[in-house]
Amino acid sequence: MAEPAPINRRFDEDVHFNSVSPGPPRYRTRTDKPVRYFTVVDKQDGAVLGYLWANDEDDAAAWEPREAAGPRAFSEGGIWHARLEGAKGRGILPSQALRELLANPEGVKGRALPDSLTDAPNAAVVEALAKGD
């Protein structure tokens, strides 16, 4: 009869997790207060890829990809998200970050649409805009 395979003693050791820093500072991604937002369009064909919004009162800002634009909109969100994260890391207000992004409008596949900065009653309106078509 064959002997049973030896059991690794490490399977009986306790697992310990050490907490590390929570990561880079980030704006909140939800607010029910009024927001300012602008449109990001595809550099190739001008199709809407998504919207970037901000609200100072709740220290909130986020990228809303336009669902109809598909994977291109989701991948474009990475650059806008990273730029928002950098702005938060410098300690600036979300509205200031939005103005900076409009002043430097180039993304990877998209760019901020000039003169598209506008207001919405809350972030849910922008999210619905991104979902609908």
Side-chain angles (χ1 to χ4, degrees), residues 82-120:
R83 291 173 70 187
L84 283 172
E85 197 172 86
K88 177 65 176 173
R90 292 192 323 273
I92 66 173
L93 291 171
S95 63
Q96 292 172 308
L98 215 58
R99 284 192 297 275
E100 274 187 11
L101 296 175
L102 267 173
N104 185 9
E106 297 298 314
V108 175
K109 297 174 191 228
R111 63 178 170 74
L113 185 64
D115 301 321
S116 66
L117 185 63
T118 192
D119 300 311

Side-chain angles (χ1 to χ4, degrees), residues 43-56:
K43 291 179 187 180
Q44 290 180 348
D45 61 12
V48 175
L49 293 176
Y51 307 92
L52 214 64
W53 61 262
N55 167 277
D56 289 345

Side-chain angles (χ1 to χ4, degrees), residues 61-85:
W63 163 257
E64 292 294 341
R66 183 172 159 252
E67 284 187 9
R72 195 168 181 93
F74 286 97
S75 66
E76 179 66 14
I79 187 67
W80 297 100
H81 174 78
R83 291 173 70 187
L84 283 172
E85 197 172 86

Side-chain angles (χ1 to χ4, degrees), residues 10-11 16 19 23 30 35-38 42 57 59 63 65 71 73 81 83 92 97 110-111 119 133:
R10 295 193 70 195
F11 291 152
H16 298 278
S19 183
R30 295 273 178 225
V35 298
R36 300 219 62 192
Y37 73 96
F38 65 79
D42 193 304
E57 191 175 346
D59 195 38
W63 163 257
H81 174 78
R83 291 173 70 187
I92 66 173
R111 63 178 170 74
D119 300 311
D133 270 349

